[in-house]
Amino acid sequence: MTCEKDIDRRGQTAQGDEDDGDARTGRRGFLKDVGKAVASIGALAASGTALLATKQTAQAAAEPGPPAIAGYDWNEHQWGYGIDATRCIGCLRCVEACKAENDVVPTAHHFRTWVERYVWLEGEERPHVDSHSDPDNVAASGSEKEYRFDNRYQGKKVYKAFFVPKICNHCRHPSCVQVCPTGATFKTKDGAVLIDHSYCIGCQYCVQACPYGARFFDPRTQVTEKCTWCYHRITKGLKPACVEVCPVNARIFGDLNNEASDISKFVTENRVQVLKPETGNAPTCFYVGLDKEVS
Amino acid sequence: MPQHIIRLIIVLTVFLATALAAKVYFTDESFYRYGHYRGDAPAELAVGDPKFRGPAYCEKCHVDRHVQWNTGVHKGVKCEVCHTPADKHPATGKLPIPADTVKLCTLCHEKMPGRPVSQPQIVVQDHPYPHEDRLECITCHNPHSPKIGAELPAEALAIQCVGCHGAQGEGVGAFPALADKSAAYMIEEMRKYKSGLRQNPMMTPLMQGLSDRDIEELAKYYAAMGGKSAAAPTAPTPAAAAVAQLTAKCVGCHGAKGEGAGTFPPLAGKDVDYLRDQLANYKSGARQNPMMTPIAQGLSDEDIARLAEYYATLGAGSASAPAGAAPSADPATLQLTARCTGCHGAEGEGMGAFPGLAGKQTDYLVDQLNNYKSGVRANPVMTPIAKGLTGEQIEKLASYYSLLKSKQ
């Protein structure tokens, strides 16, 4: 559509030139000829696009119903995710649940969702930030497949500390989708950003493009991986595994179309924030309780 | 048109035609159905059986566990967090029962910076009293309904008693032995404390926090201990025999060996002159104490000399040396600590069920005192004490104890 508009405007400009009435031979005449040519090509292109567009709308009207998912119509839902960082106790049950539910690579380096710990010690300006992939935390859990935060600040004077769960933001304007060369990653009608593994060529442009570090390369399958909001669960009326297991309701999931849903209430009853709003990605993962240093 | 241009056009056309054919051939039919992606992909990604089945699923077969869990404080902790995802269970076998509950429970309950205060947290070594050995959390807590309530085994309830009555109910200092009493007697006495017929600032609130069932269980528990506690008393030394009659007035508070207990200072091994002077001071009124003054007034100068000599010669073996130089504190704060030392020890070192305070973080102590004060944390002994403290007093006490050296 934008393209069509541009062409229209260009056509008009050429028209305006003619109205000048200063038509003679020489350089000006040549320019005029070029103008005409551009105008006619523009008109041709415009009609071409229009034709294509009508064909497409005809197609849309005729055909694509929602994807063939039993008992589920994606036009009825607009999913959203909420995180109340003030409630998180850093137990990492969400991380383990995600790995189990989605068969994520069982190492301490590949996560679809993770939790960060921010700790300011007295007299220090910058926070210490660590997550469960930190070697000391892996050692405390005793295995790459189990996750826990070690109690490393015992006996230190802690000025301030909190946990921040992180996950794919399922952005409204996802930069990962923009850079994908094959159409392997896409945004669904109900709001999820997914990856079609059969089309992914493993180029990892999207891993680079994501401002939140939510994607990773799966060494087993040689394709890119990320959170799907447990698409196989939410299309069956269940909550994502991380939300299901959170013992303190720090993670909230629901339908933004439904005013009575947990997520709608979370967004309307709290003052929510998103991570890195300046990127223009427009996340649909809303936070309560972020601090100035968290990004 | 020149030949080479024509050739070029032919090559380009062939190339374009092949590319177009390839695109038509290789692009999935469903591509562009909804946008620049394969239209079949969303439905494919929606395939798959959820592995976390949710508590409602477990309820079908494990009704009893579910009821317990559903009515308890662990309702937010889903079954599969502790038992791993059910997936195809029971078809695929039993689900595991967590073996190492200390590891499991501390995931959520270990005291750690960053955890919100609303989350119940414990310092593992100090819970429920300072100890070295690892007790599985489920010895005292039911994992499906962990809040300590009416249905606790006597062993767990007795944790509240050991600090004063001794680990075997043998009694120490002013605290009577329980192991040598009959169950019926103890039930009666405990009910009296509960109803107010018998009054004692320490026993009354404790008993009011216990149900009749708890009281019976505890009485039976201690009655069954009878005999076990009888640690053979050491034969009295000649000197002790001579003053036995006199020391009977002291042991109740200062302990059988003058080792002291709680607020009651140790006497054993102290300087003879010092002890004699202090007793004389109590007698003359130069030093005042509601308990000591009348006792000292009943002693002759000779008695005083004998007692001083006796305690001075008793080894200081059992008497603990102070943990570290007490930090300088203003008299007002020291006066406040008098409300704490009876249970938490003169140096805040803690004893029995009473947690140590020395060396704990100021913030932590302030939070906990405020929690008791506001009722967020409830304890029959601590709540009334904390309610009597102002915010300023709480801060003073917290900073005083945080500066004392921990003995651990």
Side-chain angles (χ1 to χ4, degrees):
Chain A
M1 291 312 272
T2 11
C3 178
E4 229 175 319
K5 251 187 210 155
D6 279 356
I7 290 159
D8 277 343
R9 211 179 297 132
R10 227 181 301 161
Q12 208 123 56
T13 325
Q15 206 79 48
D17 268 352
E18 211 173 28
D19 286 349
D20 272 2
D22 203 359
R24 236 171 284 150
T25 44
R27 218 179 300 155
R28 188 157 296 193
F30 172 73
L31 280 176
K32 211 184 126 188
D33 285 350
V34 170
K36 269 187 188 154
V38 168
S40 46
I41 290 170
L44 239 160
S47 55
T49 353
L51 226 130
L52 239 159
T54 42
K55 198 183 151 204
Q56 261 175 8
T57 37
Q59 228 175 21
E63 193 201 324
I69 304 169
Y72 181 79
D73 181 355
W74 71 359
N75 294 311
E76 287 168 8
H77 304 280
Q78 194 60 52
W79 301 115
Y81 199 96
I83 293 178
D84 187 344
T86 63
R87 290 177 176 221
C88 180
I89 60 172
C91 67
L92 300 175
R93 296 310 85 204
C94 46
V95 176
E96 274 188 36
C98 172
K99 288 241 178 181
E101 180 72 43
N102 296 299
D103 192 22
V104 180
V105 210
T107 70
H109 312 285
H110 302 87
F111 296 102
R112 289 182 176 197
T113 183
W114 67 102
V115 180
E116 290 167 3
R117 169 165 67 179
Y118 287 71
V119 178
W120 281 259
L121 295 181
E122 254 167 40
E124 295 187 1
E125 276 183 13
R126 292 176 166 278
H128 297 254
V129 185
D130 66 329
S131 82
H132 37 84
S133 53
D134 180 284
D136 290 348
N137 293 334
V138 174
S141 71
S143 146
E144 290 241 327
K145 296 179 193 173
E146 291 170 86
Y147 308 99
R148 75 151 60 217
F149 280 107
D150 67 357
N151 206 350
R152 68 179 69 173
Y153 299 103
Q154 249 170 337
K156 299 231 173 73
K157 294 262 179 213
V158 174
Y159 167 67
K160 181 175 189 176
F162 52 81
F163 297 98
V164 183
K166 295 267 179 91
I167 192 168
C168 169
N169 283 275
H170 294 272
C171 307
R172 291 216 171 86
H173 308 300
S175 44
C176 52
V177 171
Q178 278 176 35
V179 300
C180 180
T182 63
T185 188
F186 54 93
K187 177 110 180 142
T188 61
K189 284 254 165 62
D190 46 2
V193 175
L194 301 178
I195 301 176
D196 175 358
H197 285 154
S198 64
Y199 262 49
C200 178
I201 56 171
C203 70
Q204 300 183 55
Y205 279 159
C206 54
V207 178
Q208 303 288 324
C210 175
Y212 305 102
R215 291 170 166 252
F216 61 90
F217 187 67
D218 187 335
R220 296 174 308 186
T221 51
Q222 300 283 309
V223 292
T224 300
E225 267 280 357
K226 71 179 278 296
C227 161
T228 62
W229 273 343
C230 287
Y231 205 64
H232 63 292
R233 293 176 64 91
I234 62 174
T235 48
K236 295 179 180 71
L238 300 171
K239 289 182 170 165
C242 52
V243 178
E244 166 77 19
V245 299
C246 181
V248 290
N249 290 332
R251 291 172 178 258
I252 294 107
F253 182 82
D255 192 346
L256 291 164
N257 280 351
N258 175 0
E259 272 175 36
S261 71
D262 292 348
I263 188 65
S264 297
K265 282 197 215 140
F266 181 76
V267 171
T268 52
E269 288 169 10
N270 292 298
R271 272 154 279 178
V272 294
Q273 275 173 287
V274 295
L275 293 172
K276 298 187 181 158
E278 68 278 8
T279 61
N281 270 25
T284 49
C285 176
F286 305 99
Y287 278 89
V288 160
L290 291 181
D291 208 52
K292 58 189 190 322
E293 308 260 349
V294 180
S295 62
Chain B
M1 210 178 277
Q3 274 274 282
H4 65 280
I5 300 283
I6 291 175
R7 264 189 241 127
L8 199 66
I9 289 175
I10 290 171
V11 168
L12 273 176
T13 325
V14 169
F15 176 77
L16 273 176
T18 342
L20 218 80
K23 186 168 156 56
V24 169
Y25 182 73
F26 285 118
T27 306
D28 193 89
E29 206 194 320
S30 69
F31 210 87
Y32 290 122
R33 186 185 293 158
Y34 308 111
H36 185 72
Y37 61 93
R38 206 162 53 86
D40 289 341
E44 285 169 19
L45 288 164
V47 173
D49 289 329
K51 294 193 179 123
F52 281 83
R53 309 289 294 268
Y57 174 69
C58 319
E59 188 186 7
K60 282 189 223 156
C61 304
H62 300 288
V63 187
D64 48 342
R65 301 280 150 187
H66 189 274
V67 166
Q68 248 183 2
W69 168 86
N70 199 33
T71 48
V73 283
H74 260 178
K75 201 174 172 216
V77 189
K78 304 289 158 62
C79 314
E80 289 157 290
V81 168
C82 298
H83 290 293
T84 74
D87 204 0
K88 304 277 189 294
H89 166 82
T92 45
K94 289 183 182 182
L95 287 184
I97 290 178
D100 187 344
T101 54
V102 175
K103 194 171 178 193
L104 172 73
C105 311
T106 52
L107 277 170
C108 301
H109 290 297
E110 186 176 14
K111 172 89 184 151
M112 194 185 278
R115 297 223 152 118
V117 287
S118 53
Q119 176 66 6
Q121 296 165 50
I122 56 156
V123 175
V124 182
Q125 304 80 11
D126 290 352
H127 179 81
Y129 52 83
H131 60 90
E132 295 289 305
D133 25 293
R134 259 166 78 105
L135 287 172
E136 287 296 328
C137 310
I138 54 169
T139 17
C140 303
H141 295 280
N142 173 352
H144 303 117
S145 180
K147 181 128 184 143
I148 300 283
E151 294 297 289
L152 267 187
E155 292 88 331
L157 290 167
I159 293 157
Q160 303 173 52
C161 324
V162 292
C164 295
H165 294 286
Q168 304 289 325
E170 73 275 21
V172 273
F175 307 113
L178 304 177
D180 58 355
K181 308 236 155 63
S182 76
Y185 170 78
M186 284 190 280
I187 293 174
E188 196 164 319
E189 295 310 308
M190 279 152 74
R191 291 215 176 118
K192 279 190 197 157
Y193 285 122
K194 193 176 174 184
S195 66
L197 274 178
R198 190 170 166 182
Q199 288 275 345
N200 177 284
M202 299 181 225
M203 286 300 294
T204 309
L206 260 175
M207 293 302 122
Q208 282 170 349
L210 295 176
S211 68
D212 285 350
R213 173 215 168 253
D214 292 346
I215 287 180
E216 277 165 34
E217 292 287 312
L218 277 167
K220 277 189 241 154
Y221 173 75
Y222 278 114
M225 273 192 174
K228 266 189 258 170
S229 65
T234 44
T237 63
V243 288
Q245 236 182 322
L246 289 171
T247 54
K249 300 183 184 174
C250 321
V251 290
C253 292
H254 295 284
K257 291 179 173 300
E259 72 274 21
T263 31
F264 306 114
L267 305 175
K270 290 225 166 123
D271 184 60
V272 194
D273 294 337
Y274 173 80
L275 289 172
R276 198 183 38 230
D277 289 352
Q278 295 313 312
L279 282 170
N281 285 348
Y282 282 125
K283 194 178 173 184
S284 69
R287 190 171 167 182
Q288 289 276 345
N289 178 288
M291 293 184 244
M292 282 307 296
T293 309
I295 293 174
Q297 280 170 353
L299 296 172
S300 67
D301 287 351
E302 203 183 317
D303 293 339
I304 288 179
R306 262 202 233 146
L307 279 169
E309 203 177 312
Y310 167 71
Y311 278 113
T313 54
L314 272 183
S318 55
S320 55
S328 54
D330 59 301
T333 310
L334 282 176
Q335 216 174 346
L336 283 174
T337 61
R339 300 183 201 178
C340 322
T341 49
C343 293
H344 295 286
E347 307 284 338
E349 71 274 21
M351 47 182 207
F354 305 109
L357 305 176
K360 293 222 164 135
Q361 284 189 21
T362 319
D363 291 353
Y364 173 78
L365 293 173
V366 170
D367 283 353
Q368 297 313 313
L369 283 170
N370 281 330
N371 284 349
Y372 283 123
K373 196 174 170 177
S374 64
V376 169
R377 192 171 166 182
N379 178 291
V381 181
M382 282 310 294
T383 308
I385 295 177
K387 284 206 168 124
L389 296 171
T390 65
E392 198 193 339
Q393 285 173 330
I394 284 179
E395 303 230 321
K396 273 194 182 151
L397 280 171
S399 82
Y400 171 79
Y401 279 112
S402 72
L403 289 172
L404 281 174
K405 271 217 194 75
S406 163
K407 277 188 189 167
Q408 285 168 359

